[in-house]
Amino acid sequence: MTSRTVRLGLLGCGHVGSALVRLVTRNRDEIEVRTGVRLEVTRVAVRNLARERDVELSADVFTHDGAAVVTAPDVDVVVEVIGGIEPAREHIVEALKAGKPVVTANKELLANVGRELFETAEGAGVDLLFEASVAGGIPLIRPLRESLAGDRIRRVMGIVNGTTNYILSRMAESGASFSDALAEAQTLGYAERDPTADVEGFDAAAKAAIIASIAFGARVVAGDVYREGISELTGADIASAAGLGYTVKLLAIAAESPAGIEVRVHPTMIPASHPLASVRESFNALFVEADAVGQLMFYGRGAGGEPTASAVLGDVIDAAKNVVSGARGATVGTLVRKPIQAIDEVESQFYLQLEVADRPGVLAAIAEQFGRRGVSIKSMQQIGIGDDARLVFITHLAREADLRATIHALREVGTVHRVGSILRVVGDET
Ligand SMILES: NC(=O)c1ccc[n+]([C@@H]2O[C@H](COP(=O)([O-])OP(=O)(O)OC[C@H]3O[C@@H](n4cnc5c(N)ncnc54)[C@H](OP(=O)(O)O)[C@@H]3O)[C@@H](O)[C@H]2O)c1
């Protein structure tokens, strides 16, 4: 077989970019044998030309000028691994308009201006591939848009942020507090010095928006995603959940029903027997439910230079094969406007803890407040006696607005001393 050389222009050569260059160097011959395409990195844009980089490339490949990489005649495929919105957006648009396929790992960009980019790619008739933007090395985008293209996806639930999963694993397994577990994650390099994007759920929300867009063919942006982080969770919440047979995870949930699209990120209690409950430390996983195929789970490394570069390289090979054959890969297609459900309308089961007076009639007064708002109790347990008595409830599926109204009313009941933690319960719908 005669092979064709396809030349790559990289925008960025940091964790992911440099791992990609090393992977191309290491696997070049094998990729050529398997695909008939020989990959060559011809241009690389970086911010700091003086920085030492662990890649086998000659110095004259590097430039400050991202725009020059995109327009260079010796670049066939553009790989954007700078991150952030600008100048990444500008360079990608320019590349697509010039008829060059683009591979990106940039979740922030896609979750905010994805539609503009997809439409530009569609208009130009070139590939825009972004497997690494959700859950790093784990294949999800291609399965959703190709393998499951003929099925009806109902729900995707994922652990898509390794930092928060590490923190929650430590809190559950060693009884560490949130701040101690965060400090440990920072020491190990799993958490940034400013951990806000991870612990407050912004990173997961961007990924949830991309997942919802691809799974349901809908226009969903990061701002549509209901979001709560994990910084308010206590060790007591996690221990109490464990006592009831649940594990607490930060889940990104995207679902479609006749009422519209539901897309949210929040700490969630899932049954300890659920496949997502066994995902520990900094691993990621996505649990997909679809009509015909049933349940699927994808598990692996959701971040890190090498795992992410593996997903980027898969896309690069697809784009390169299409450059050679003149074909195009599967596209995102038209993203239509679909109603996004307000969190008040979304149904979940709920866990709630009440500190109550331990005397006759208390339970009846509490049950009445649930009943009046149509929130049905699935189970109730009393923990402790006397002044320490706590009641722990798990509800059946209830609208968020009804649960909130119930809590408001419970605060007015004289024998309820305090309404403690409230967590949503998912994956246990019966
Ligand atoms: N790291 C991961 O585990 C991971 C996982 C999934 C997805 N991603 C995504 O992958 C992308 C890259 O992440 P990363 O961790 O590799 O980031 P990084 O280590 O910070 O690398 C960014 C690179 O972009 C270069 N750069 C920054 N501004 C530039 C500009 N204006 N023009 C040209 N080059 C510029 C930097 O140059 P200098 O080297 O000179 O500073 C650096 O080489 C992001 O979108 C990220 O969200 C990363």
Side-chain angles (χ1 to χ4, degrees), residues 238-391:
I238 288 172
S240 170
L244 296 169
Y246 293 89
T247 305
V248 179
K249 296 289 184 191
L250 182 72
L251 289 194
I253 302 170
E256 184 172 33
S257 70
I261 293 198
E262 166 194 324
V263 56
R264 47 184 169 137
V265 168
H266 52 64
T268 312
M269 276 171 50
I270 49 175
S273 57
H274 193 283
L276 286 172
S278 62
V279 178
R280 297 174 55 249
E281 310 251 307
S282 62
F283 280 88
N284 282 198
L286 292 119
F287 190 77
V288 178
E289 294 159 273
D291 276 359
V293 76
Q295 299 178 333
L296 298 169
M297 182 147 118
F298 302 84
Y299 168 88
R301 283 274 173 219
E306 281 248 321
T308 308
S310 160
V312 171
L313 185 50
D315 279 350
V316 165
I317 292 170
D318 251 14
K321 287 199 297 195
N322 290 341
V323 164
V324 170
S325 68
R328 265 196 89 185
T331 67
V332 169
T334 311
L335 297 183
V336 299
R337 208 181 290 283
K338 294 187 180 181
I340 310 278
Q341 278 187 281
I343 190 69
D344 270 359
E345 300 304 318
V346 169
E347 288 195 334
S348 305
Q349 290 182 256
F350 292 88
Y351 155 99
L352 62 160
Q353 221 188 75
L354 307 180
E355 288 172 19
V356 297
D358 190 7
R359 72 170 95 107
V362 170
L363 204 51
I366 291 171
E368 189 191 340
Q369 300 306 326
F370 279 96
R372 273 197 199 169
R373 287 153 195 92
V375 178
S376 150
I377 297 167
K378 181 176 181 184
S379 67
M380 194 280 293
Q381 256 189 35
Q382 176 168 342
I383 302 170
I385 49 166
D387 284 347
D388 289 333
R390 279 178 296 137
L391 296 179

Side-chain angles (χ1 to χ4, degrees), residues 12-16 46-48 51 53 81 83 87 105-107 303-304 308:
C13 192
H15 291 103
V16 179
V46 292
R47 198 169 26 193
N48 178 2
R51 176 169 293 171
R53 293 172 206 277
V81 276
N106 193 332
K107 66 212 146 220
T308 308

Side-chain angles (χ1 to χ4, degrees), residues 10-18 44-51 53 63-66 80-84 86-88 91 104-109 132-137 192 203 207 302-309 312:
L10 266 60
L11 302 168
C13 192
H15 291 103
V16 179
S18 63
V44 180
V46 292
R47 198 169 26 193
N48 178 2
L49 283 172
R51 176 169 293 171
R53 293 172 206 277
T63 170
H64 270 309
D65 189 353
E80 185 278 309
V81 276
I82 294 178
E86 294 294 357
H91 292 326
T104 177
N106 193 332
K107 66 212 146 220
E108 196 188 343
L109 185 66
S133 64
V134 176
E192 308 270 343
D203 173 82
K207 293 165 180 168
E306 281 248 321
T308 308
V312 171

